[in-house]
């Protein structure tokens, strides 16, 4: 049975904020080990435990008949040459997809499969990315001044597997080189 009722919800397109949910905050100190340049990370977090991203999970029951949804807001910034980003995850039920729709800003989606395929899709306001099942995904803000805000939706039973990424990272990093987003091999990635 599904006890959800038809619901109107409201998200601020500039901030992703919802009047009906509290943000889940991910300041720098919660992202230890995720950025490649550890010295730059340690210096940054010591100086100021800045907000990197927040997301709003609307608390939909985690069943296959439901669609979980919410927004994510990534602040502009870099650690070393690597842009601010989300932790990234596989879905626990690996073969479940997700859709992201950009509400404001300029960033994109880093994606990879367990078999080693890698895709990066840049996004601006109005762009959507379909992340197929099996693809790990991480959101990255490539603007130096604006927040990157997206709405997302995925099957309620998908679950989140952060551990694989926490241990191994993604195969590729997105860094700024000569003022442009550039995909490079992750020196710390282990097969
Ligand atoms: Zn996901």
């Amino acid at each position: 049975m599904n006890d959800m009722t038809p619901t109107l919800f409201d998200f601020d397109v500039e901030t992703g904020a919802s009047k009906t949910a509290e943000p889940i905050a991910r300041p720098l100190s919660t992202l230890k080990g995720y950025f490649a340049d550890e010295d730059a990370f340690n210096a940054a977090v010591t100086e100021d435990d800045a907000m990197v991203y927040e997301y709003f999970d609307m608390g939909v029951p985690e069943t296959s008949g439901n669609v979980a949804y919410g927004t994510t807001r990534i602040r502009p910034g870099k650690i070393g040459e690597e842009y601010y980003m989300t932790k990234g995850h596989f879905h626990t039920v690996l073969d479940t997809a997700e859709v992201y729709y950009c509400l404001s800003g300029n960033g994109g989606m880093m994606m990879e499969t367990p078999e080693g395929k890698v895709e990066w899709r840049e996004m601006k306001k109005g762009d959507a990315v379909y992340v197929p099942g099996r693809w790990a995904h991480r959101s990255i803000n490539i603007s130096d001044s604006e927040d990157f805000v997206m709405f997302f939706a995925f099957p309620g039973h998908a679950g989140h597997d952060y551990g694989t990424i926490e241990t191994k990272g993604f195969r590729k990093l997105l860094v700024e080189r000569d003022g442009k987003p550039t995909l490079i091999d992750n020196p710390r990635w282990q097969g």
Side-chain angles (χ1 to χ4, degrees):
M1 285 295 285
N2 189 329
D3 59 2
M4 295 288 285
T5 55
T7 308
L8 176 72
F9 50 95
D10 172 286
F11 294 108
D12 185 302
V13 295
E14 299 295 332
T15 66
S18 166
K19 299 185 181 87
T20 51
E22 288 297 315
I24 297 164
R26 292 286 178 258
L28 268 179
S29 56
T30 67
L31 300 171
K32 187 171 176 53
Y34 282 90
F35 292 94
D37 188 336
E38 282 184 50
D39 291 341
F41 176 86
N42 290 331
V45 77
T46 301
E47 185 183 319
D48 173 26
D49 188 15
M51 188 64 68
V52 178
Y53 69 98
E54 295 150 281
Y55 61 98
F56 291 85
D57 173 354
M58 303 305 286
V60 170
E62 295 177 352
T63 64
S64 59
N66 278 304
V67 175
Y69 65 92
T71 55
T72 183
R73 172 194 189 184
I74 309 169
R75 307 298 174 88
K78 292 198 295 289
I79 296 298
E81 58 182 4
E82 193 173 15
Y83 297 100
Y84 274 12
M85 61 190 182
T86 62
K87 290 182 176 182
H89 57 264
F90 286 95
H91 290 162
T92 309
V93 180
L94 190 60
D95 197 15
T96 50
E98 184 156 355
V99 174
Y100 284 84
Y101 179 69
C102 179
L103 301 176
S104 60
N106 182 207
M109 196 66 60
M110 179 80 82
M111 294 164 281
E112 71 174 41
T113 67
E115 293 76 25
K117 284 189 273 187
V118 174
E119 297 283 350
W120 158 250
R121 291 288 181 274
E122 186 174 329
M123 302 167 73
K124 58 186 180 335
K125 182 178 179 177
D127 290 336
V129 163
Y130 183 78
V131 181
R134 302 186 57 76
W135 289 79
H137 38 289
R138 160 181 284 169
S139 311
I140 305 175
N141 187 353
I142 63 173
S143 168
D144 59 10
S145 58
E146 286 183 306
D147 293 344
F148 177 49
V149 182
M150 289 185 296
F151 176 84
F152 59 80
F154 59 90
H157 69 303
H160 291 85
D161 167 15
Y162 290 101
T164 304
I165 298 300
E166 186 173 16
T167 306
K168 297 171 69 174
F170 279 67
R171 287 171 168 80
K172 300 281 186 183
L173 309 178
L174 193 73
V175 299
E176 186 176 273
R177 293 269 170 95
D178 300 323
K180 288 183 304 197
T182 306
L183 215 54
I184 64 167
D185 287 335
N186 179 359
R188 299 188 308 164
W189 195 85
Q190 305 289 320

